[in-house]
Amino acid sequence: MLELKKVSTYYGNIQAVRDIDLRVEEGEIITLIGANGAGKTTTLMSISGIVPPKRGEILFRGRPIHGLSPDRIVALGICQVPEGRHIFPDLTVAENLDMGAFLRRDRKEVARDLEYVYSLFPILRERRNQPGGNLSGGEQQMLAISRALMARPQLLLLDEPSMGLAPLVTRQIFEIIRQINREQNTTIFLVEQNANLALKVADRGYVLETGRITMHDRADALRANKDVQRAYLGI
Amino acid sequence: MLSFKDFGRACVVALWFMVLTFPLMVIKVNPIDRVITWRWHNMVWVGVGSFLCYLASRAWQIHRDARLRRIRLGQEEEKEPLSRRILQNPSIYRPLLAAGALFFLAFPGLFSTYQTNIMITALMYVVLGLGLNIVVGVAGLLDLGYVAFYAVGAYAYALLNLHFGLGFWTVLPIGGLLAATFGILLGFPVLRLRGDYLAIVTLGFGEIIRLILENWNEFSHGPSGISNIPRPGFFGIQMSLDQSITYLYYLMIGMVLFTIFVVNRLQNSRIGRAWFALREDEIACQAMGIDKTRTKLTAFALGATWAGMVGVIFAAKTTFVNPASFTFLESAIILCIVVLGGMGSIVGVIIAALVLILLPEYLRAFSEYRMLVFGAVLVIMMVFRPQGIVANIRKTYRVEEG
């Protein structure tokens, strides 16, 4: 579904991602794990076009998307939940969700998707008329995921959904990520620091170290791998 | 209740103001007679005045804090702000609106030509404020060079009339379009900038336009400007000066209504939502598939259009343009209108424009102190109501459920 071929991305002169090769198959959850500054977020930003790659190719369903503007990429069906949630603080929850459906014109389908995200996160329905900025961290993350779902993406890019959340909330959110993948058949690209949890949820995983992919395997195999255990799982 | 400490503080405040205003209020030098008059009584007035003002504001503060505490404890209902209560209750705002409409319609009949002229200026600033409100209030792009578009409109009429004999009604849309083009021109280099950096570049842009007009003699007639610009025509009927001012007044009223209508529709449209989103969070905007480039450029272009059209009207009203009318101070005043009115609030901007333009005129009774009072009003306003006269009430749109 998505393929990265020798992608390199720079911030000015600083290279954050070095010749990354990566594949995402239809309907799977894949995860990219790594330490701080390994280039996880940059990889996602390259896919979504916010920080376009300098070299290499990104193919979505066989079609090159590197060099397209971010809004075109969203229109193709790739939606990103940015790191740190980035909800619209002054808009109400309902308006935030409506912004997610910005590019869609099929009102009936949008209304149905709204019902769906409210069923995933009932708390959002309760708070639908409150400004997004008044929600707790966990609720904001739920809102950010829901907002991205409102774009009805084929590929959902999740950037550190566990950031700053209590373990219980994190587990709940990961449960729902799995549910979205199952029920909507949405392919999910998950970037996480919490490698343990991410590998439990994912089908396959990639390990990123200082901008390079050092390992990739099935998620359970990675969890069993001695090096990964020592470096990321704290075992 | 006021405590002993408050009285102490009030004394300090009074002393501070007495020292601060000493050179201005007390010393009066008469250079012809070479004498200095010491007006000590003024100092007493300043002292007593600031002492009482401080106590009054302190008492109000204590009262407000006490009320907030009661609200928190649940002993008292939270009241909606006055402006919101008025705006959301049709039985209050409808008569108000009707009275306002009647007043503005009858204005030229009730007051002198001089007053009408001042009101025309105020109405022009209403439109300017509403235009800048799109850029600053709604889309959150701080533009300090807005007056440049105003100049583009004014010079468009002056030059097109001078060289090609084009009339007011032909140039009005052309002026708007030209300003929009300049808006896009300014928009391109500043697409990646935000906040302070954007402000500096727009400030520079405003100055560039003014300096070009000032120095390119062959093009714009330099600082001496262009005179004898015809007033707006009305099917070729000859009008006396009074009549044409009245005509311009009603034309301006029409313009204001048109602006309010369009700006209101824009704010509640798709592009308006994109602007609000852009103001709140750029990254989220992009993640939602909003075209950042197009959104920003349309904000600049649609904001500039109004300045361009008002520029044309300005040139027609004064029948003379020169670069001195388009200094940074103008931009600052228009920005003041937006901020004072409440960012993004149409009603607020209208009220602020009327207050800010009419206040200095009617304060002429205070002669040399009028700008001082004007400044004081601005400061007091921002201290006590930083969100503006009418905080923005965004129309919350609902997604149909089920």
Side-chain angles (χ1 to χ4, degrees), chain B residues 18-210:
Chain B
M18 277 150 80
V19 172
L20 195 70
T21 55
F22 176 78
L24 197 74
M25 305 294 286
V26 178
I27 306 171
K28 186 172 190 178
V29 182
N30 188 332
I32 300 166
D33 297 341
R34 291 171 179 277
V35 284
I36 296 172
T37 340
W38 299 89
R39 299 172 298 173
W40 294 108
H41 58 277
N42 276 350
M43 192 179 222
V44 178
W45 285 123
V46 167
V48 173
S50 47
F51 183 79
L52 291 177
C53 276
Y54 179 81
L55 283 186
S57 79
R58 195 54 208 145
W60 181 73
Q61 222 173 1
I62 289 170
H63 170 75
R64 190 189 55 177
D65 288 351
R67 203 168 64 84
L68 283 178
R69 202 172 317 122
R70 281 203 301 278
I71 289 171
R72 219 178 17 247
L73 292 173
Q75 292 164 346
E76 199 176 296
E77 285 281 302
E78 192 172 356
K79 270 194 286 184
E80 284 221 59
L82 183 68
S83 60
R84 191 162 299 192
R85 264 181 292 159
I86 291 175
L87 286 172
Q88 285 180 344
N89 189 346
S91 62
I92 302 178
Y93 78 72
R94 285 226 180 97
L96 266 180
L97 205 67
L102 216 65
F103 173 76
F104 277 105
L105 279 180
F107 195 87
L110 294 174
F111 297 95
S112 67
T113 318
Y114 169 70
Q115 304 283 357
T116 313
N117 226 338
I118 293 173
M119 194 47 100
I120 294 174
T121 313
L123 290 176
M124 278 166 45
Y125 277 90
V126 169
V127 178
L128 286 172
L130 288 174
L132 186 63
N133 190 32
I134 294 179
V135 187
V136 178
V138 181
L141 306 161
L142 184 52
D143 184 352
L144 293 182
Y146 192 62
V147 77
F149 307 123
Y150 188 35
V152 166
Y155 269 87
Y157 182 37
L159 290 170
L160 286 175
N161 185 271
L162 187 72
H163 296 303
F164 305 104
L166 293 184
F168 173 81
W169 291 105
T170 329
V171 183
L172 191 61
I174 297 179
L177 277 178
L178 259 177
T181 315
F182 271 83
I184 293 172
L185 230 82
L186 165 68
F188 267 114
V190 301
L191 276 176
R192 303 164 70 93
L193 303 177
R194 256 191 289 178
D196 332 10
Y197 308 102
L198 177 69
I200 291 169
V201 175
T202 52
L203 177 69
F205 179 77
E207 285 302 290
I208 288 171
I209 297 277
R210 190 180 63 80

Side-chain angles (χ1 to χ4, degrees), chain B residues 58-358:
Chain B
R58 195 54 208 145
W60 181 73
Q61 222 173 1
I62 289 170
H63 170 75
R64 190 189 55 177
D65 288 351
R67 203 168 64 84
L68 283 178
R69 202 172 317 122
R70 281 203 301 278
I71 289 171
R72 219 178 17 247
L73 292 173
Q75 292 164 346
E76 199 176 296
E77 285 281 302
E78 192 172 356
K79 270 194 286 184
E80 284 221 59
L82 183 68
S83 60
R84 191 162 299 192
R85 264 181 292 159
I86 291 175
L87 286 172
Q88 285 180 344
N89 189 346
S91 62
I92 302 178
Y93 78 72
R94 285 226 180 97
L96 266 180
L97 205 67
L102 216 65
F103 173 76
F104 277 105
L105 279 180
F107 195 87
L110 294 174
F111 297 95
S112 67
T113 318
Y114 169 70
Q115 304 283 357
T116 313
N117 226 338
I118 293 173
M119 194 47 100
I120 294 174
T121 313
L123 290 176
M124 278 166 45
Y125 277 90
V126 169
V127 178
L128 286 172
L130 288 174
L132 186 63
N133 190 32
I134 294 179
V135 187
V136 178
V138 181
L141 306 161
L142 184 52
D143 184 352
L144 293 182
Y146 192 62
V147 77
F149 307 123
Y150 188 35
V152 166
Y155 269 87
Y157 182 37
L159 290 170
L160 286 175
N161 185 271
L162 187 72
H163 296 303
F164 305 104
L166 293 184
F168 173 81
W169 291 105
T170 329
V171 183
L172 191 61
I174 297 179
L177 277 178
L178 259 177
T181 315
F182 271 83
I184 293 172
L185 230 82
L186 165 68
F188 267 114
V190 301
L191 276 176
R192 303 164 70 93
L193 303 177
R194 256 191 289 178
D196 332 10
Y197 308 102
L198 177 69
I200 291 169
V201 175
T202 52
L203 177 69
F205 179 77
E207 285 302 290
I208 288 171
I209 297 277
R210 190 180 63 80
L211 287 172
I212 287 176
L213 292 175
E214 202 144 286
N215 294 303
W216 194 0
N217 274 315
E218 301 79 50
F219 173 70
S220 67
H221 296 208
S224 53
I226 300 168
S227 52
N228 286 328
I229 303 168
R231 292 169 189 282
F234 185 65
F235 299 114
I237 300 169
Q238 283 293 319
M239 281 185 282
S240 71
L241 185 64
D242 279 11
Q243 280 170 330
S244 70
I245 285 177
T246 313
Y247 171 54
L248 198 64
Y249 175 82
Y250 285 114
L251 195 149
M252 211 47 233
I253 291 274
M255 180 79 183
V256 168
L257 291 179
F258 176 61
T259 315
I260 294 172
F261 174 74
V262 175
V263 169
N264 190 32
R265 292 304 296 258
L266 272 177
Q267 284 196 5
N268 294 323
S269 70
R270 231 173 116 74
I271 185 84
R273 281 161 51 201
W275 286 337
F276 273 119
L278 191 71
R279 182 179 74 180
E280 300 229 328
D281 198 313
E282 246 178 60
I283 291 194
C285 239
Q286 286 178 300
M288 294 300 100
I290 294 168
D291 187 342
K292 201 173 88 178
T293 312
R294 219 177 54 194
T295 309
K296 274 193 180 178
L297 287 182
T298 45
F300 273 118
L302 286 175
T305 310
W306 301 108
M309 291 205 277
V310 179
V312 174
I313 296 174
F314 171 77
K317 173 181 173 274
T318 53
T319 71
F320 169 73
V321 290
N322 77 341
S325 311
F326 307 108
T327 52
F328 170 64
L329 188 67
E330 288 299 306
S331 289
I333 287 178
I334 305 169
L335 189 67
C336 262
I337 289 174
V338 177
V339 176
L340 199 68
M343 302 263 250
S345 149
I346 293 177
V347 185
V349 168
I350 295 169
I351 297 174
L354 293 177
V355 169
L356 274 190
I357 303 305
L358 298 181

Side-chain angles (χ1 to χ4, degrees), chain A residues 67-84:
Chain A
L68 289 184
S69 61
D71 53 290
R72 298 278 306 280
I73 292 173
V74 175
L76 287 175
I78 301 179
C79 196
Q80 185 187 12
V81 180
E83 184 180 10

Side-chain angles (χ1 to χ4, degrees), chain A residues 139 175 202:
Chain A
E139 289 161 359
E175 206 44 60

